[in-house]
Amino acid sequence: MTTDLPPEAWAAALAGLPRMGPSRLLTLVRRWGPAGAWECLRRRGWMSDRAMLVATRPSPEEIADAWSAATARTDVAAVWQRHIEARVGVAALGSPAYPAPLIDDIEPPGVVFTRGDPGAICGPRVAIVGTRGASRYGLDFAYELGRELAGAGVAIVSGLALGIDAAAHAGALAAATAPPIAVVGSGLDVVYPRRNLSLWREVERRGVLLGEAPLGCAPERWRFPARNRIIAAIADVVVVVESRDTGGSMHTVTEAQRRGRTVFAAPGSVRSATSSGTNGLLRDGAQVVCDAGDVLVALGLSSALCRTLHDPRPAPAPYDAALLDALGWAPVSLAGLAERTQMSLGQLSLGLNRLCGQGWLAERSGWFERVARTEP
């Protein structure tokens, strides 16, 4: 066995073994250390360890064969060199470079891989998560929260998924203040989803990408629930903008609750399936988020800072404000709004035109939809 390699080299190699999930890796690293664990797998010495037998149920013999064969054919030095050449940082549990927020977590990763600046994982941190199939309202609100919280010095944590995650990180990047933090479910050289390539690169350049998979690992389905626990562990507060009753966002909420994190949810239309999960969270006691100030207060930041997050649009006149209230947050047609308000089409048209001109509404194919907030 090569003895002049750092613990991180062995940890990276361990993480790439077949059927090596987070729980198994953590058990190995805690009991034998990265290098000792590698030797233990090579010689099948772990087979007498009760904790490892439990972790490898229901087929420890089969897994032992797979690990023994894989360790025999793996060049750990070559694995380590690939990570060095790819500028991927590696931190094993217990090393000085390991992210501080994860050290005392209930399920810390046995090894963490980073690209960008690991120092970005500091200061106040808020996770913004939600559905991939978000509405315009959800995308606008996630962008707004990401931009304003980042502008107030809060690092935005998300999973770089399509929809709410991407919108929140785009907003954080637009603020160009606090560095973004992305937790991904693949190797840091495997961009997923590909549509977020430019966002992935920008987060890496201005913040940090973080994961527990070594180079070359595909975004397998089981990796995303594992990723969600890291998002919850890193964040001080979790905000769900839009979510169905089940899915990754709700799993992140469960992980946040296990860790005692504050959970916020954005209210949505009761007729919208994409808000059924968030509305359910509110029913069950989650805090309501209406703007970035709500989250800043929960973080204990000053009220003076919260007041700086004003809306740059001109305040609507009383008549137009009443029209906004009647419209709500779901798209509606002119005829539908006339029926709802009992106003004449002429009155409505004038008011809607003013609100569109001021940036309060967007009109798309004859349907009017409220805009959360425009750029300052």
Side-chain angles (χ1 to χ4, degrees):
M1 183 175 78
T2 305
T3 58
D4 57 351
L5 292 172
E8 285 72 22
W10 301 100
L14 284 168
L17 293 177
R19 304 174 71 171
M20 182 62 75
S23 177
R24 291 168 181 169
L25 179 59
L26 178 61
T27 302
L28 285 165
V29 169
R30 278 179 165 168
R31 295 181 85 79
W32 292 287
W38 186 266
E39 182 66 8
C40 194
L41 297 190
R42 189 177 71 84
R43 296 180 177 275
R44 301 166 61 102
W46 61 271
M47 291 293 290
S48 60
D49 185 86
R50 183 184 298 273
M52 281 303 299
L53 290 174
V54 170
T56 54
R57 287 176 178 170
S59 51
E61 287 286 349
E62 182 181 324
I63 291 174
D65 290 342
W67 284 348
S68 180
T71 53
R73 65 174 179 265
T74 299
D75 184 339
V76 178
V79 171
W80 180 234
Q81 188 61 33
R82 283 199 299 274
H83 284 80
I84 292 173
E85 292 173 354
R87 307 185 318 280
V88 172
V90 184
L93 182 63
S95 75
Y98 194 84
L102 296 175
I103 292 174
D104 295 321
D105 187 59
I106 55 177
E107 292 181 76
V111 62
V112 171
F113 301 87
T114 58
R115 247 183 180 170
D117 179 15
I121 311 172
C122 64
R125 299 172 301 277
V126 171
I128 300 178
V129 298
T131 180
R132 290 168 171 80
S135 69
R136 184 74 260 164
Y137 154 69
L139 294 173
D140 286 347
F141 191 46
Y143 181 92
E144 170 193 336
L145 282 177
R147 185 191 65 209
E148 294 189 344
L149 288 171
V154 176
I156 300 302
V157 185
S158 208
L160 272 184
L162 298 174
I164 297 299
D165 287 36
H169 263 139
L173 290 168
T177 307
I181 302 169
V183 185
V184 301
S186 62
L188 298 184
D189 59 335
V190 182
V191 179
Y192 179 83
R194 291 294 300 178
R195 283 168 55 187
N196 279 348
L197 174 61
S198 60
L199 188 63
W200 178 293
R201 297 298 184 221
E202 198 63 14
V203 169
E204 177 185 344
R205 186 176 73 84
R206 293 163 59 180
V208 64
L209 296 172
L210 170 74
E212 58 184 332
L215 290 173
C217 283
E220 299 169 271
R221 184 181 296 272
W222 66 266
R223 292 190 181 276
F224 292 97
R227 174 202 65 179
N228 295 340
R229 90 187 191 285
I230 300 177
I231 292 175
I234 287 178
D236 299 306
V237 170
V238 172
V239 179
V240 189
V241 172
E242 273 188 327
S243 176
R244 295 177 180 270
D245 293 317
T246 59
S249 302
M250 302 305 284
H251 182 263
T252 304
V253 168
T254 299
E255 293 295 335
Q257 293 169 336
R258 290 180 65 206
R259 291 162 173 80
R261 303 293 193 263
T262 299
V263 175
F264 281 86
S269 170
V270 296
R271 295 181 175 86
S272 172
T274 56
S275 289
S276 59
T278 44
N279 288 340
L281 289 174
L282 294 172
R283 178 195 61 219
D284 295 337
Q287 296 195 39
V288 180
V289 58
C290 294
D291 56 33
D294 294 330
V295 183
L296 292 173
V297 169
L299 290 168
L301 299 181
S302 71
S303 57
L305 181 58
C306 298
R307 287 196 297 271
T308 67
L309 300 173
H310 64 280
D311 197 310
R313 295 172 290 192
Y319 176 89
D320 292 344
L323 184 56
L324 272 179
D325 289 340
L327 192 142
W329 287 101
V332 63
S333 67
L334 180 61
L337 194 56
E339 182 178 352
R340 183 180 302 174
T341 62
Q342 301 300 307
M343 297 177 184
S344 69
L345 292 178
Q347 287 177 311
L348 282 175
S349 294
L350 290 173
L352 292 171
N353 285 337
R354 283 192 298 270
L355 291 169
C356 285
Q358 294 169 351
W360 290 98
L361 295 180
E363 189 271 329
R364 297 178 178 87
S365 304
W367 290 79
F368 294 88
E369 186 173 10
R370 196 162 174 172
V371 175
R373 192 167 297 184
T374 58
E375 287 291 316

